[in-house]
Amino acid sequence: MQGTKQPQGTAQPTTPAAYTPTDRTVPTRSAQKASYDKDLVHAILDEGYVCHLGFVRDGAPVVLPTLYGRVGETLYVHGSTGSRPLRMTGQADPGLPVCLTVTHVDGLVLARSAFHHSINYRSVVVHGLAHDVSDPEEKLAALDALVDHVVPGRAADSRPANRKELAATAVIRIDLDEVSAKTRTGGVNEEPEDLTLPHWAGVVPLRKGYDTPVPEADLLPGTGLPAYLGVL
Amino acid sequence: MQGTKQPQGTAQPTTPAAYTPTDRTVPTRSAQKASYDKDLVHAILDEGYVCHLGFVRDGAPVVLPTLYGRVGETLYVHGSTGSRPLRMTGQADPGLPVCLTVTHVDGLVLARSAFHHSINYRSVVVHGLAHDVSDPEEKLAALDALVDHVVPGRAADSRPANRKELAATAVIRIDLDEVSAKTRTGGVNEEPEDLTLPHWAGVVPLRKGYDTPVPEADLLPGTGLPAYLGVL
């Protein structure tokens, strides 16, 4: 619960280092895997490309993958003004109940027993209300955050949205308030009596990286690979 | 809509090659990215490790990452008998409304305009009712499918669940019926007037792979790396 790192874009001079657990963010099992540490939550969120956004439509759940961006303690999701969750958010008062989840799979955990097979992972689950972003400045900042979330530094190296594109794009905000992280790391858990079994056991780490960028064929002559792509 | 591949574990001699679109599985936008082809859906599902399972609790959505397995046209999810969605499924009649989504991010799409930034991806969204699996044979087959989903061939090379472990594990089934895939591939979409801008544009492919497996320190002497791990 220690920590003094100032989250980006937060107005307060100091902020608590952890989210307050609630009934929804305390898991019914494996509670020791849960964390409310803001730095951990931010790191997991910032490493992801896609979140899974859940909402309720006609009483049934809907879970859609979508890009997102973070500014301090706020997440932004964008889409066509015609897309269902964004349209529903615009019509919801005081906001559309959503659950936004980001997961990284880090390794395959192979135990001698089928029962103890698992994966190493890091996930964040955010509960809250989605609100339509109507303020033009906040909307522009959110769109920059969405582009910079995919490739940090990219927003400044692309043409900003024009009036027509802004009008066609809806942005919703979800504040980071009711949030938890859950992680599994390390090796295999095993029943003591299984240690004499002849099966291989261990962890297969997943490797993530990038292949060589593929430029469009019609770049202006002399347009080299930007430095921010060289460090990916 | 052509295709004669027999899905694994399906009893019928022939099955339709595509799911029937419904109001929930036809997207409101980018409908050309949607597909109902069973082979494509199966391939996307089989490549994933984690799905995002959505359900409704007290009127609000909940989205949790979890392992899954496929047997023919049925998905299985397992967990502790104490976990919320599995407990809720056991109490729901005729089943718990769920939405199960699997997403692969294949590349970062960098356009000259911020507006046309995107990602290449493949996703599957499954709508349906989750049912508790009580039949012991189906439960055992589901648990094998869950282990083999992580590493094909692994279930046969591990100790099967014993009676105590089976009693502590709940399994739910979701039939593949109301299902769609959505994919984006290829290069950048761009406004014609942006082609003269000096920004780099192209696709950064994401590379996925495995690092060297890390064996537990206490394997029985002579326990080598199984062949099914060497091909990962």
Side-chain angles (χ1 to χ4, degrees):
Chain A
M1 300 293 186
Q2 296 298 308
T4 55
K5 190 181 160 199
Q6 179 67 17
Q8 171 196 0
T10 304
Q12 295 90 331
T14 59
T15 51
Y19 302 103
T20 304
T22 70
D23 172 53
R24 294 200 287 196
T25 62
V26 175
T28 45
R29 56 185 291 271
S30 304
Q32 79 285 358
K33 291 180 186 164
S35 167
Y36 306 91
D37 181 83
K38 290 192 176 184
D39 287 345
L40 176 65
V41 165
H42 293 171
I44 293 171
L45 290 173
D46 293 352
E47 191 180 320
Y49 289 113
V50 159
C51 69
H52 283 81
L53 181 70
F55 58 100
V56 181
R57 180 175 174 236
D58 297 335
V62 180
V63 179
L64 299 179
T66 188
L67 296 171
Y68 64 101
R70 181 177 74 86
V71 177
E73 295 295 334
T74 302
L75 294 183
Y76 292 100
V77 170
H78 76 327
S80 154
T81 49
S83 89
R84 276 191 190 120
L86 280 75
R87 218 171 44 201
M88 287 172 69
T89 298
Q91 295 161 352
D93 182 17
L96 183 72
V98 295
C99 183
L100 186 155
T101 301
V102 172
T103 306
H104 307 290
V105 179
D106 296 324
L108 315 177
V109 181
L110 277 60
R112 296 166 182 83
S113 62
F115 184 77
H116 283 296
H117 276 66
S118 186
I119 55 164
N120 283 336
Y121 69 95
R122 292 163 294 144
S123 66
V124 163
V125 177
V126 179
H127 297 273
L129 295 175
H131 298 281
D132 193 50
V133 173
S134 53
D135 177 71
E137 279 190 33
E138 185 181 6
K139 194 168 173 182
L140 279 169
L143 294 176
D144 279 353
L146 275 147
V147 170
D148 279 338
H149 186 88
V150 175
V151 178
R154 177 67 186 179
D157 187 25
S158 57
R159 175 180 65 70
N162 58 33
R163 189 183 300 193
K164 183 182 153 200
E165 290 166 345
L166 279 175
T169 306
V171 174
I172 59 177
R173 64 177 286 158
I174 301 135
D175 290 329
L176 294 175
D177 182 32
E178 196 171 353
V179 183
S180 61
K182 210 169 165 190
T183 57
R184 188 203 189 280
T185 58
V188 176
N189 296 330
E190 205 84 81
E191 303 297 327
E193 61 267 30
D194 289 335
L195 294 176
T196 55
L197 293 176
H199 309 299
W200 187 92
V203 174
V204 182
L206 266 64
R207 185 194 298 163
K208 294 160 200 168
Y210 303 89
D211 278 326
T212 308
V214 181
E216 291 292 291
D218 51 5
L219 293 184
L220 283 195
T223 306
L225 195 68
Y228 52 75
L229 287 183
V231 300
L232 281 183
Chain B
M1 299 295 183
Q2 296 299 307
T4 56
K5 191 181 158 198
Q6 179 67 16
Q8 172 195 0
T10 303
Q12 295 90 329
T14 58
T15 52
Y19 302 104
T20 305
T22 70
D23 173 53
R24 293 200 288 196
T25 62
V26 175
T28 45
R29 54 185 291 271
S30 304
Q32 78 286 0
K33 292 180 185 162
S35 167
Y36 307 91
D37 181 83
K38 289 191 177 184
D39 288 344
L40 176 65
V41 164
H42 294 170
I44 293 172
L45 289 172
D46 293 352
E47 190 180 322
Y49 289 113
V50 160
C51 68
H52 283 81
L53 181 70
F55 58 100
V56 180
R57 181 176 174 235
D58 297 335
V62 181
V63 179
L64 298 178
T66 187
L67 296 172
Y68 63 101
R70 181 177 73 87
V71 177
E73 294 295 335
T74 301
L75 295 183
Y76 293 100
V77 170
H78 75 327
S80 155
T81 49
S83 89
R84 276 190 190 122
L86 282 76
R87 218 171 45 202
M88 287 172 68
T89 298
Q91 295 162 354
D93 183 18
L96 183 71
V98 295
C99 182
L100 186 155
T101 302
V102 172
T103 306
H104 307 292
V105 179
D106 296 323
L108 315 177
V109 181
L110 277 60
R112 297 167 182 84
S113 61
F115 184 76
H116 283 296
H117 276 66
S118 186
I119 56 165
N120 283 336
Y121 68 95
R122 293 162 294 142
S123 66
V124 163
V125 176
V126 179
H127 298 271
L129 294 175
H131 298 281
D132 193 48
V133 173
S134 52
D135 176 71
E137 279 190 34
E138 185 181 5
K139 193 168 172 180
L140 280 169
L143 293 176
D144 279 354
L146 275 146
V147 170
D148 278 338
H149 186 89
V150 175
V151 177
R154 177 67 186 180
D157 187 25
S158 57
R159 175 180 65 70
N162 59 33
R163 188 183 301 193
K164 183 181 152 201
E165 292 166 343
L166 280 176
T169 305
V171 174
I172 60 176
R173 64 176 285 159
I174 301 136
D175 290 329
L176 294 175
D177 181 33
E178 196 171 351
V179 183
S180 61
K182 210 169 165 188
T183 56
R184 188 203 189 280
T185 57
V188 176
N189 296 330
E190 203 84 81
E191 303 298 327
E193 62 266 30
D194 289 335
L195 293 176
T196 56
L197 293 175
H199 308 299
W200 187 93
V203 174
V204 183
L206 265 65
R207 185 194 299 163
K208 294 159 199 170
Y210 303 90
D211 279 325
T212 308
V214 181
E216 291 291 291
D218 51 6
L219 294 184
L220 283 195
T223 306
L225 194 69
Y228 52 75
L229 286 183
V231 300
L232 281 183

